Amino acid sequence: MPKFYARRRLGFLAAFTGLIASAGLLNGPAASAALPTPVSAATARTYLASLTVAAENRTGYNRDLFPHWITQSGTCNTRETVLKRDGTNVVTDSSCAATSGSWYSPYDGATWSAASDLDIDHLVPLAEAWDSGAGSWTTARRQVFANDLTRPQLIAVTDNVNQSKGDQDPATWMPSRTAYRCTYVRAWVQVKYYYDLSVDSAEKSALQGYLATC
């Protein structure tokens, strides 16, 4: 119960912070998640124009077909590696679990001090990738996609925000913090382009609209 109360208070503060940020009065703090810098808006627009437009197909999808949170280095798996990368003053134990630190979620403007309050978001969701062409990949390629630390594909964010996003694309879901939306769509297009994934018509229209304002 105490945690729930704390989460509600922090949720209110996050919403207020996000509102200020969307008005252009506040930028994310230095603890902002260290997502690999995506391509420029101009490059993203060029990439988007080259993507195949196709209807999505989820037949046969299973999350387990994308092996994720594999070992990256020593005892650290992908989730733990992203938590260390995206946090400030992160302390880990011998198994690489984060025991303390601070994490800023750029999707909603919330700051957390417990790793359990964060999810690692697949910016292009696994189900979305499957719908867009990953169903024909080998398991090895799906594993690379699900653990990609090089492209702007993995980011630590508030857990319930990630859960509300689910497998939605930018036609139906975007970060509530408007200051981050340009970064988000640039990253989305870069990942889709790199992995040669298609877009559906509503998704492409939404991306074009957001990129036009970057």
Side-chain angles (χ1 to χ4, degrees):
M1 185 64 70
K3 180 180 178 182
F4 178 73
Y5 175 69
R7 289 292 300 266
R8 289 192 62 184
R9 286 186 60 202
L10 285 168
F12 170 78
L13 291 172
F16 178 71
T17 301
L19 182 63
I20 295 174
S22 67
L25 300 176
L26 179 68
N27 292 319
S32 181
L35 184 79
T37 302
V39 296
S40 68
T43 298
R45 286 191 286 270
T46 299
Y47 284 179
L48 180 58
S50 73
L51 295 181
T52 299
V53 178
E56 297 183 347
N57 183 358
R58 190 159 300 186
T59 302
Y61 171 71
N62 186 315
R63 186 174 175 85
D64 292 339
L65 294 171
F66 291 80
H68 52 286
W69 304 169
I70 62 172
T71 300
Q72 291 288 346
S73 177
T75 60
C76 300
N77 66 23
T78 307
R79 171 183 164 82
E80 293 158 347
T81 300
V82 176
L83 284 172
K84 287 170 65 177
R85 182 198 73 186
D86 290 3
T88 299
N89 299 323
V90 177
V91 176
T92 58
D93 61 20
S94 60
S95 64
C96 203
T99 57
S100 64
S102 177
W103 291 269
Y104 174 77
S105 170
Y107 286 3
D108 58 335
T111 298
W112 303 102
S113 58
S116 59
D117 286 324
L118 296 135
D119 279 354
I120 306 305
D121 181 37
H122 288 96
L123 196 137
V124 174
L126 304 183
E128 168 68 24
W130 180 275
D131 298 349
S132 308
S136 65
W137 293 352
T138 62
T139 300
R141 184 161 176 77
R142 287 193 289 266
Q143 176 173 296
V144 170
F145 177 85
N147 298 275
D148 190 348
L149 297 170
T150 303
R151 262 62 55 181
Q153 165 67 347
L154 297 172
I155 185 169
V157 296
T158 302
D159 54 3
N160 55 18
V161 171
N162 181 54
Q163 291 151 24
S164 71
K165 171 186 171 179
D167 57 13
Q168 298 179 81
D169 69 33
T172 55
W173 189 93
M174 285 290 285
S176 61
R177 185 169 163 265
T178 57
Y180 198 71
R181 290 180 177 178
C182 182
T183 300
Y184 185 84
V185 294
R186 286 157 47 212
W188 182 283
V189 172
Q190 180 179 345
V191 171
K192 283 230 159 174
Y193 178 82
Y194 180 83
Y195 286 98
D196 195 24
L197 294 169
S198 63
V199 289
D200 63 40
S201 56
E203 176 188 356
K204 182 173 183 177
S205 293
L207 290 166
Q208 287 173 325
Y210 287 114
L211 285 171
T213 67
C214 287

